[in-house]
Amino acid sequence: MPDASTVALSIIETGRRLDSRGLAPATAGNYSARLDSGEILITASGTHKGRLTEAQLMRVAPDGTPIDAGKSSAETLLHCLVYAVDATVGAVLHTHSVAGTVLTRALAGSGGIELEGYELLKVFPGVATHDARVVLPLVDNSQDMLALAAELRPLLEAQERLLPAFYIAGHGLYAWGPTIEAAENIVEGCEFLLACAWEEWKLKGAGR
Ligand SMILES: [Zn+2]
């Protein structure tokens, strides 16, 4: 990873793009990147992700303890969890979309979001054809990040090949990759796939 300032600029640009796609309403979402030092550069709490400034990014230790002044995202511990589970992760992005909210509420308690037969499944590492089935982990929403992280950890660690994403029901997506760009691709892929799944759900509901 380049120096912290360059990483910060990449996060700011990513925030603008995700906001322009409707994936960061109000102050929703949070983004982070792992620096060479092992510290995590993360968005501060309550910031608008389409209008981020460098001063709204701060460093935390791998366990989430603030290094710089300020209050990091309320969901910092979930970012820390992803970095702890996979040493190759360089960036984590958390987005809120309409489909990712509505469909995951409908599927709450099912344990996973099944996606099958879509061309864009190829966004996931190791998937080379549309003729595949991917089940993204889905957990119930909670404001208790310690409890949520404790619930997620075994779900992530149980995967034979770790999928770079999970959803929280009625809340949103966590996606990651070795770089910010790679994580952004996973966000776009997942949110597109959820939008497709939601449209299909509506079609079936209409009896077609
Ligand atoms: Zn959130």
Coordinates of all heavy atoms in Angstrom, one line a residue, residues 120-192:
L120 N -22.5 -12.2 -13.4 CA -21.6 -11.4 -12.6 C -21.1 -12.1 -11.3 O -20.3 -11.6 -10.6 CB -22.3 -10.1 -12.2 CG -21.4 -8.9 -12.1 CD1 -20.8 -8.6 -13.5 CD2 -22.0 -7.7 -11.5
L121 N -21.5 -13.4 -11.2 CA -20.9 -14.2 -10.1 C -19.4 -14.3 -10.3 O -18.7 -14.6 -9.3 CB -21.5 -15.6 -10.0 CG -23.0 -15.7 -9.5 CD1 -23.5 -17.1 -9.7 CD2 -23.0 -15.3 -8.0
K122 N -19.0 -14.0 -11.5 CA -17.5 -14.1 -11.8 C -16.7 -13.0 -11.2 O -15.5 -13.1 -11.2 CB -17.3 -14.1 -13.4 CG -17.7 -15.4 -14.0 CD -18.1 -15.3 -15.5 CE -17.0 -14.8 -16.4 NZ -17.5 -14.7 -17.8
V123 N -17.4 -12.1 -10.5 CA -16.7 -11.1 -9.7 C -16.0 -11.7 -8.5 O -15.0 -11.2 -8.0 CB -17.6 -10.0 -9.3 CG1 -18.5 -10.4 -8.1 CG2 -16.9 -8.7 -8.8
F124 N -16.5 -12.9 -8.1 CA -15.9 -13.5 -6.9 C -14.7 -14.4 -7.3 O -14.7 -15.1 -8.3 CB -16.9 -14.4 -6.2 CG -18.1 -13.7 -5.7 CD1 -19.4 -13.9 -6.2 CD2 -17.9 -12.7 -4.6 CE1 -20.5 -13.2 -5.7 CE2 -19.0 -12.0 -4.1 CZ -20.3 -12.2 -4.7
P125 N -13.6 -14.2 -6.5 CA -12.4 -15.0 -6.8 C -12.7 -16.5 -6.9 O -13.4 -17.0 -6.0 CB -11.5 -14.7 -5.6 CG -12.1 -13.5 -5.0 CD -13.5 -13.4 -5.3
G126 N -12.2 -17.1 -7.9 CA -12.3 -18.6 -8.0 C -13.6 -19.0 -8.8 O -13.8 -20.2 -9.1
V127 N -14.5 -18.0 -9.1 CA -15.7 -18.3 -9.9 C -15.4 -18.0 -11.3 O -15.2 -16.8 -11.6 CB -16.9 -17.6 -9.3 CG1 -18.1 -17.9 -10.2 CG2 -17.2 -18.0 -7.9
A128 N -15.5 -19.0 -12.2 CA -15.1 -18.7 -13.6 C -16.3 -18.8 -14.6 O -16.1 -18.6 -15.8 CB -14.0 -19.7 -14.1
T129 N -17.5 -19.1 -14.1 CA -18.6 -19.3 -15.0 C -19.9 -18.8 -14.3 O -20.0 -18.8 -13.1 CB -18.8 -20.8 -15.4 OG1 -20.0 -20.9 -16.0 CG2 -18.6 -21.7 -14.2
H130 N -20.9 -18.5 -15.1 CA -22.2 -18.1 -14.5 C -22.8 -19.3 -13.9 O -23.7 -19.2 -13.0 CB -23.1 -17.6 -15.6 CG -23.5 -18.6 -16.6 ND1 -22.7 -19.0 -17.6 CD2 -24.6 -19.4 -16.7 CE1 -23.2 -20.0 -18.3 NE2 -24.4 -20.2 -17.8
D131 N -22.4 -20.5 -14.3 CA -23.0 -21.8 -13.9 C -22.5 -22.1 -12.5 O -21.7 -23.1 -12.3 CB -22.7 -22.9 -14.9 CG -23.6 -24.1 -14.6 OD1 -24.5 -24.0 -13.8 OD2 -23.3 -25.2 -15.2
A132 N -22.7 -21.2 -11.6 CA -22.2 -21.4 -10.2 C -23.2 -21.0 -9.2 O -24.2 -20.3 -9.5 CB -20.9 -20.5 -10.1
R133 N -23.0 -21.4 -8.0 CA -23.9 -21.0 -6.9 C -23.0 -20.5 -5.7 O -22.1 -21.1 -5.3 CB -24.7 -22.3 -6.4 CG -25.6 -22.0 -5.2 CD -26.3 -23.3 -5.0 NE -27.1 -23.3 -3.7 CZ -26.6 -23.6 -2.5 NH1 -25.4 -24.0 -2.4 NH2 -27.4 -23.5 -1.4
V134 N -23.4 -19.3 -5.3 CA -22.6 -18.6 -4.2 C -23.6 -18.3 -3.1 O -24.7 -17.8 -3.4 CB -22.0 -17.3 -4.8 CG1 -21.5 -16.4 -3.6 CG2 -20.8 -17.7 -5.7
V135 N -23.3 -18.6 -1.9 CA -24.2 -18.2 -0.8 C -23.4 -17.2 0.1 O -22.5 -17.5 0.8 CB -24.6 -19.4 0.1 CG1 -25.5 -19.0 1.2 CG2 -25.2 -20.5 -0.8
L136 N -23.9 -15.9 0.0 CA -23.2 -14.9 0.9 C -23.8 -15.0 2.3 O -25.0 -15.1 2.5 CB -23.6 -13.5 0.3 CG -22.9 -13.2 -1.1 CD1 -23.4 -11.8 -1.5 CD2 -21.4 -13.2 -1.0
P137 N -22.9 -15.0 3.3 CA -23.3 -15.0 4.7 C -24.3 -13.8 5.0 O -24.1 -12.7 4.4 CB -22.1 -14.9 5.5 CG -21.0 -15.4 4.6 CD -21.4 -15.0 3.2
L138 N -25.3 -14.1 5.8 CA -26.3 -13.0 6.1 C -26.5 -13.2 7.6 O -26.9 -14.3 8.1 CB -27.6 -13.2 5.4 CG -28.8 -12.3 5.8 CD1 -28.5 -10.9 5.5 CD2 -30.0 -12.8 5.1
V139 N -26.3 -12.1 8.4 CA -26.5 -12.1 9.8 C -27.6 -11.1 10.2 O -27.8 -10.1 9.4 CB -25.2 -11.9 10.6 CG1 -24.3 -13.0 10.5 CG2 -24.6 -10.5 10.2
D140 N -28.2 -11.3 11.3 CA -29.2 -10.3 11.8 C -28.5 -9.0 12.2 O -27.3 -9.0 12.7 CB -30.0 -10.8 13.0 CG -31.0 -11.9 12.5 OD1 -31.3 -11.9 11.3 OD2 -31.5 -12.6 13.4
N141 N -29.2 -7.9 12.1 CA -28.6 -6.6 12.4 C -28.5 -6.5 14.0 O -29.3 -7.1 14.7 CB -29.5 -5.5 11.9 CG -28.8 -4.2 11.8 OD1 -27.6 -4.1 12.0 ND2 -29.5 -3.1 11.6
S142 N -27.6 -5.7 14.4 CA -27.4 -5.4 15.8 C -26.6 -4.1 16.0 O -25.8 -3.8 15.1 CB -26.7 -6.6 16.5 OG -26.3 -6.2 17.8
Q143 N -26.8 -3.4 17.0 CA -26.0 -2.2 17.3 C -24.8 -2.6 18.2 O -23.9 -1.8 18.5 CB -26.8 -1.1 18.0 CG -28.0 -0.7 17.2 CD -27.7 -0.2 15.8 OE1 -26.7 0.5 15.6 NE2 -28.5 -0.6 14.8
D144 N -24.8 -3.9 18.6 CA -23.7 -4.4 19.5 C -22.6 -5.0 18.6 O -22.7 -6.2 18.2 CB -24.3 -5.4 20.5 CG -23.2 -6.0 21.4 OD1 -22.0 -5.8 21.2 OD2 -23.6 -6.6 22.4
M145 N -21.6 -4.2 18.3 CA -20.6 -4.6 17.3 C -19.7 -5.8 17.8 O -19.3 -6.6 17.0 CB -19.7 -3.5 16.9 CG -20.4 -2.4 16.1 SD -21.2 -3.1 14.6 CE -22.8 -2.3 14.7
L146 N -19.5 -5.9 19.1 CA -18.8 -7.0 19.7 C -19.5 -8.3 19.4 O -19.0 -9.3 19.0 CB -18.6 -6.8 21.2 CG -17.3 -6.2 21.6 CD1 -17.3 -6.0 23.2 CD2 -16.1 -7.0 21.2
A147 N -20.9 -8.3 19.7 CA -21.7 -9.4 19.5 C -21.8 -9.8 18.0 O -21.7 -11.0 17.7 CB -23.1 -9.2 20.1
L148 N -21.9 -8.8 17.2 CA -22.0 -9.0 15.7 C -20.7 -9.7 15.2 O -20.7 -10.6 14.4 CB -22.3 -7.7 15.0 CG -23.0 -7.7 13.7 CD1 -24.2 -8.7 13.7 CD2 -23.4 -6.3 13.3
A149 N -19.6 -9.1 15.7 CA -18.3 -9.6 15.2 C -18.1 -11.1 15.7 O -17.6 -11.9 15.0 CB -17.1 -8.8 15.8
A150 N -18.6 -11.4 16.9 CA -18.4 -12.7 17.5 C -19.3 -13.7 16.7 O -18.9 -14.9 16.6 CB -18.8 -12.7 19.0
E151 N -20.4 -13.2 16.2 CA -21.3 -14.1 15.4 C -20.7 -14.3 14.0 O -20.8 -15.4 13.5 CB -22.7 -13.4 15.3 CG -23.7 -14.3 14.6 CD -25.1 -13.6 14.4 OE1 -25.3 -12.5 15.0 OE2 -25.9 -14.1 13.7
L152 N -20.1 -13.3 13.5 CA -19.6 -13.4 12.1 C -18.3 -14.2 12.0 O -18.1 -14.9 11.0 CB -19.3 -12.0 11.6 CG -20.5 -11.3 11.0 CD1 -20.3 -9.8 10.9 CD2 -20.8 -11.8 9.6
R153 N -17.5 -14.1 13.0 CA -16.2 -14.7 12.9 C -16.2 -16.2 12.5 O -15.6 -16.6 11.5 CB -15.3 -14.5 14.2 CG -13.9 -15.1 14.1 CD -13.2 -14.9 15.4 NE -12.5 -13.6 15.5 CZ -11.3 -13.4 15.1 NH1 -10.5 -14.4 14.6 NH2 -10.7 -12.2 15.2
P154 N -17.0 -17.0 13.2 CA -17.1 -18.5 12.8 C -17.7 -18.7 11.5 O -17.3 -19.6 10.8 CB -18.0 -19.1 13.9 CG -18.6 -18.0 14.6 CD -17.8 -16.8 14.5
L155 N -18.6 -17.8 11.1 CA -19.2 -17.9 9.7 C -18.1 -17.7 8.6 O -18.1 -18.4 7.6 CB -20.3 -16.9 9.5 CG -21.6 -17.1 10.2 CD1 -22.6 -16.0 9.9 CD2 -22.2 -18.5 9.8
L156 N -17.3 -16.7 8.9 CA -16.2 -16.4 7.9 C -15.2 -17.5 7.9 O -14.7 -18.0 6.9 CB -15.6 -15.1 8.2 CG -16.6 -13.9 8.1 CD1 -15.8 -12.6 8.3 CD2 -17.3 -13.8 6.8
E157 N -14.8 -17.9 9.1 CA -13.7 -18.9 9.2 C -14.1 -20.3 8.8 O -13.3 -21.1 8.4 CB -13.2 -19.0 10.7 CG -12.4 -17.7 11.0 CD -11.9 -17.6 12.5 OE1 -12.5 -18.4 13.3 OE2 -11.0 -16.8 12.7
A158 N -15.4 -20.6 8.7 CA -15.9 -21.9 8.3 C -15.9 -22.1 6.8 O -16.0 -23.2 6.3 CB -17.3 -22.1 8.8
Q159 N -15.7 -21.0 6.1 CA -15.8 -21.1 4.6 C -14.5 -21.7 4.1 O -13.4 -21.3 4.5 CB -15.9 -19.7 4.0 CG -17.3 -19.1 4.2 CD -17.4 -17.7 3.6 OE1 -16.9 -17.4 2.6 NE2 -18.0 -16.8 4.4
E160 N -14.7 -22.6 3.2 CA -13.5 -23.3 2.6 C -12.6 -22.3 1.8 O -11.4 -22.3 2.0 CB -14.0 -24.4 1.6 CG -13.0 -25.5 1.5 CD -13.7 -26.7 0.7 OE1 -14.8 -27.1 1.1 OE2 -13.1 -27.0 -0.3
R161 N -13.3 -21.5 1.0 CA -12.6 -20.4 0.4 C -13.4 -19.2 0.8 O -14.6 -19.0 0.4 CB -12.6 -20.5 -1.1 CG -11.9 -19.4 -1.8 CD -11.8 -19.4 -3.3 NE -12.6 -20.4 -4.0 CZ -12.1 -21.1 -5.0 NH1 -10.9 -20.9 -5.5 NH2 -12.9 -22.0 -5.6
L162 N -12.7 -18.2 1.5 CA -13.4 -17.1 2.1 C -14.0 -16.2 1.0 O -13.3 -15.7 0.1 CB -12.5 -16.3 2.9 CG -13.1 -15.0 3.6 CD1 -14.1 -15.4 4.6 CD2 -12.0 -14.2 4.3
L163 N -15.3 -16.1 1.0 CA -16.0 -15.1 0.0 C -15.7 -13.7 0.6 O -15.7 -13.5 1.8 CB -17.5 -15.3 0.0 CG -18.0 -16.5 -0.8 CD1 -19.5 -16.8 -0.4 CD2 -17.9 -16.2 -2.3
P164 N -15.4 -12.7 -0.3 CA -15.0 -11.4 0.1 C -16.2 -10.5 0.5 O -16.1 -9.3 0.2 CB -14.2 -10.9 -1.0 CG -14.8 -11.5 -2.2 CD -15.3 -12.9 -1.8
A165 N -17.3 -11.1 1.0 CA -18.4 -10.2 1.3 C -19.4 -10.9 2.3 O -19.5 -12.2 2.3 CB -19.2 -9.9 0.0
F166 N -20.2 -10.1 3.0 CA -21.3 -10.6 3.7 C -22.3 -9.5 3.8 O -22.0 -8.3 3.6 CB -21.0 -11.1 5.1 CG -20.4 -10.1 6.1 CD1 -21.1 -9.2 6.8 CD2 -19.0 -10.1 6.3 CE1 -20.6 -8.3 7.7 CE2 -18.4 -9.2 7.2 CZ -19.2 -8.3 7.9
Y167 N -23.6 -9.8 4.1 CA -24.6 -8.8 4.3 C -25.1 -8.9 5.8 O -25.2 -10.0 6.4 CB -25.8 -9.1 3.4 CG -25.6 -8.4 2.0 CD1 -25.0 -9.1 1.0 CD2 -26.0 -7.1 1.8 CE1 -24.8 -8.5 -0.3 CE2 -25.9 -6.5 0.5 CZ -25.3 -7.2 -0.5 OH -25.1 -6.6 -1.7
I168 N -25.6 -7.7 6.3 CA -26.3 -7.6 7.5 C -27.7 -7.3 7.2 O -28.0 -6.3 6.5 CB -25.7 -6.6 8.5 CG1 -24.2 -6.8 8.7 CG2 -26.4 -6.5 9.8 CD1 -23.5 -5.7 9.4
A169 N -28.7 -8.1 7.7 CA -30.1 -8.0 7.3 C -30.6 -6.6 7.6 O -30.5 -6.1 8.8 CB -30.9 -9.0 8.0
G170 N -31.3 -6.0 6.7 CA -31.9 -4.7 6.8 C -30.9 -3.6 7.0 O -31.3 -2.5 7.4
H171 N -29.7 -3.8 6.7 CA -28.6 -2.9 6.9 C -27.7 -2.7 5.7 O -27.8 -1.7 5.1 CB -27.9 -3.4 8.2 CG -26.7 -2.5 8.6 ND1 -26.2 -2.6 9.9 CD2 -26.1 -1.6 8.0 CE1 -25.2 -1.7 10.0 NE2 -25.1 -1.1 8.8
G172 N -26.9 -3.7 5.4 CA -26.0 -3.4 4.3 C -25.0 -4.5 4.1 O -25.0 -5.5 4.7
L173 N -24.0 -4.1 3.2 CA -23.0 -5.0 2.7 C -21.6 -4.6 3.3 O -21.3 -3.5 3.4 CB -22.9 -4.8 1.2 CG -21.7 -5.4 0.4 CD1 -21.7 -6.9 0.4 CD2 -21.7 -4.9 -1.0
Y174 N -20.9 -5.7 3.6 CA -19.4 -5.5 3.8 C -18.7 -6.3 2.7 O -19.0 -7.4 2.4 CB -19.0 -6.1 5.2 CG -19.1 -5.1 6.3 CD1 -20.3 -4.8 6.8 CD2 -18.0 -4.3 6.7 CE1 -20.5 -3.8 7.8 CE2 -18.1 -3.4 7.6 CZ -19.3 -3.1 8.2 OH -19.5 -2.1 9.2
A175 N -17.8 -5.6 2.0 CA -17.0 -6.3 0.9 C -15.6 -5.9 1.0 O -15.3 -4.8 1.5 CB -17.6 -5.8 -0.4
W176 N -14.7 -6.7 0.6 CA -13.3 -6.4 0.7 C -12.4 -7.0 -0.4 O -12.9 -7.8 -1.2 CB -12.8 -6.9 2.1 CG -13.0 -8.3 2.4 CD1 -12.1 -9.4 2.1 CD2 -14.1 -8.9 3.1 NE1 -12.7 -10.5 2.6 CE2 -13.9 -10.3 3.1 CE3 -15.3 -8.4 3.6 CZ2 -14.8 -11.2 3.7 CZ3 -16.2 -9.3 4.1 CH2 -16.0 -10.7 4.2
G177 N -11.2 -6.6 -0.4 CA -10.2 -7.1 -1.4 C -8.8 -6.7 -1.0 O -8.6 -6.0 0.0
P178 N -7.8 -7.2 -1.8 CA -6.5 -6.9 -1.5 C -6.2 -5.4 -1.7 O -5.2 -4.8 -1.1 CB -5.6 -7.7 -2.5 CG -6.6 -8.1 -3.5 CD -8.0 -8.2 -2.9
T179 N -6.9 -4.7 -2.5 CA -6.8 -3.2 -2.7 C -8.1 -2.5 -2.6 O -9.2 -3.2 -2.7 CB -6.2 -2.9 -4.1 OG1 -7.1 -3.4 -5.1 CG2 -4.9 -3.6 -4.3
I180 N -8.1 -1.2 -2.6 CA -9.4 -0.5 -2.5 C -10.2 -0.7 -3.8 O -11.4 -0.9 -3.8 CB -9.1 1.0 -2.3 CG1 -8.4 1.3 -1.0 CG2 -10.4 1.9 -2.5 CD1 -7.9 2.7 -0.8
E181 N -9.4 -0.7 -5.0 CA -10.1 -1.0 -6.3 C -10.7 -2.3 -6.3 O -11.9 -2.5 -6.8 CB -9.1 -0.8 -7.4 CG -8.5 0.6 -7.6 CD -7.5 1.0 -6.6 OE1 -6.9 0.1 -5.9 OE2 -7.2 2.2 -6.4
A182 N -10.0 -3.3 -5.8 CA -10.6 -4.7 -5.8 C -11.8 -4.8 -4.9 O -12.8 -5.4 -5.3 CB -9.5 -5.7 -5.3
A183 N -11.8 -4.1 -3.8 CA -12.9 -4.1 -2.9 C -14.1 -3.4 -3.5 O -15.3 -3.8 -3.4 CB -12.5 -3.4 -1.6
E184 N -13.8 -2.3 -4.3 CA -14.9 -1.6 -4.9 C -15.6 -2.5 -6.0 O -16.8 -2.4 -6.2 CB -14.3 -0.3 -5.6 CG -15.4 0.6 -6.1 CD -14.9 1.9 -6.6 OE1 -13.7 2.2 -6.4 OE2 -15.6 2.7 -7.3
N185 N -14.8 -3.3 -6.7 CA -15.3 -4.2 -7.7 C -16.3 -5.2 -7.0 O -17.4 -5.5 -7.5 CB -14.2 -5.0 -8.4 CG -13.5 -4.2 -9.4 OD1 -13.9 -3.1 -9.7 ND2 -12.3 -4.7 -9.8
I186 N -15.9 -5.7 -5.8 CA -16.8 -6.6 -5.1 C -18.1 -5.9 -4.7 O -19.2 -6.5 -4.8 CB -16.0 -7.2 -3.9 CG1 -14.8 -8.0 -4.3 CG2 -17.0 -8.2 -3.1 CD1 -15.0 -9.2 -5.2
V187 N -17.9 -4.7 -4.2 CA -19.1 -3.9 -3.8 C -20.1 -3.8 -5.0 O -21.3 -4.1 -4.9 CB -18.8 -2.5 -3.4 CG1 -20.0 -1.6 -3.3 CG2 -18.1 -2.5 -2.0
E188 N -19.5 -3.4 -6.2 CA -20.4 -3.2 -7.4 C -21.0 -4.5 -7.8 O -22.2 -4.6 -8.1 CB -19.6 -2.7 -8.5 CG -19.2 -1.2 -8.4 CD -18.5 -0.7 -9.6 OE1 -18.5 -1.3 -10.7 OE2 -17.8 0.4 -9.5
G189 N -20.2 -5.6 -7.7 CA -20.8 -6.9 -8.1 C -21.9 -7.3 -7.2 O -23.0 -7.7 -7.6
C190 N -21.6 -7.3 -5.9 CA -22.6 -7.7 -4.9 C -23.9 -6.9 -5.0 O -25.0 -7.4 -5.0 CB -22.1 -7.6 -3.5 SG -20.9 -8.9 -3.1
E191 N -23.8 -5.6 -5.0 CA -24.9 -4.7 -5.0 C -25.7 -4.9 -6.3 O -27.0 -4.9 -6.3 CB -24.6 -3.2 -4.8 CG -23.9 -3.0 -3.4 CD -24.9 -3.1 -2.3 OE1 -25.9 -3.8 -2.3 OE2 -24.6 -2.4 -1.2
F192 N -25.0 -5.1 -7.5 CA -25.7 -5.4 -8.7 C -26.5 -6.8 -8.6 O -27.7 -6.9 -9.0 CB -24.7 -5.5 -9.9 CG -25.3 -5.8 -11.2 CD1 -25.8 -4.8 -12.0 CD2 -25.4 -7.1 -11.7 CE1 -26.4 -5.1 -13.3 CE2 -25.9 -7.4 -12.9 CZ -26.4 -6.4 -13.7

